Amino acid sequence: MDKKELINSGKVKSVYNSTDDDKVIIEFRDDMTAGDGARKEVMANKGAYNAIISAKIFKVLEENGVETQFIELLEPNVMLAKKLEMIPIEVIVRNIATGSLVRKYPIADGTRLEPPIVQMDFKDDDYHDPMLNDSLIKALGIATQEEIEILTEKALKINEVLVKFFADAGIILVDFKVEFGKDMGGNILLGDEISPDGCRLWDSETLDMLDKELFRKGKDSEVMDAYVEVYNRIIPDSEKVI
Ligand code: C5P
């Protein structure tokens, strides 16, 4: 399938129109950013690792009844996906308190959160992704109450499936961010990506970090080894393409 014009170039992915009106082509680039894009480096093959990991996770979620925009991988770092009108909310699910939660609130790092916290942030770098609540979401015209409930329900379902999926690979799913969009029929589908860029993943035994937090902490030389470790643990040998 040929890429047509570029629709959107984000910090790490570029989205192109395809020859089908209802499908897009998403290229996962090798860029890695932190601090709302303030720091940026290129990491060889990072795009491919993230695309393959996301594709695997989307397939697992589909098998568990969560509809996603994923159709197929066209190349190791290029995904064919259903075209969505993205909802500008970052839905964050937290199973263990860490990161911005412990910086902003009096809760100890490492506290297990039962039930998990579902948080919604406004996806807008200019405003530094401020946290939303239901009335803000409605006042800003981002989503209706019914849609907020759908996003919450879907995020918790994704969490339930992925906690188990990662546990089977010896990984603790600490927290993650997902984004949703509406397809041409108005259905809300999971979009974007689920990869070590937007999840905190800890080794179950050692509690070593296996995600972008290493880059956020300046451990640039360790970050790709962590992504490759996640890839090796969750992608069966028969499905490995790099
Ligand atoms: O930084 P914070 O603790 O709020 O992050 C929570 C989770 O959301 C982490 O897994 C992080 O990777 C993800 N996240 C993200 N993109 C952002 C903010 C957070 O993927 N803009």
Side-chain angles (χ1 to χ4, degrees), residues 90 92 94 98-101 103 119 129 175-177 197-200 216:
E90 300 194 334
I92 294 168
R94 299 178 189 272
T98 192
S100 70
L101 186 73
R103 285 198 300 275
Q119 174 187 332
D129 303 340
D175 57 26
F176 63 94
K177 180 263 301 178
D197 266 15
C199 302
R200 284 198 181 90
R216 296 190 191 103

Side-chain angles (χ1 to χ4, degrees), residues 97-98 100-113 117:
T98 192
S100 70
L101 186 73
V102 301
R103 285 198 300 275
K104 293 182 184 167
Y105 301 92
I107 184 163
D109 208 321
T111 307
R112 187 159 281 283
L113 302 163
I117 292 176

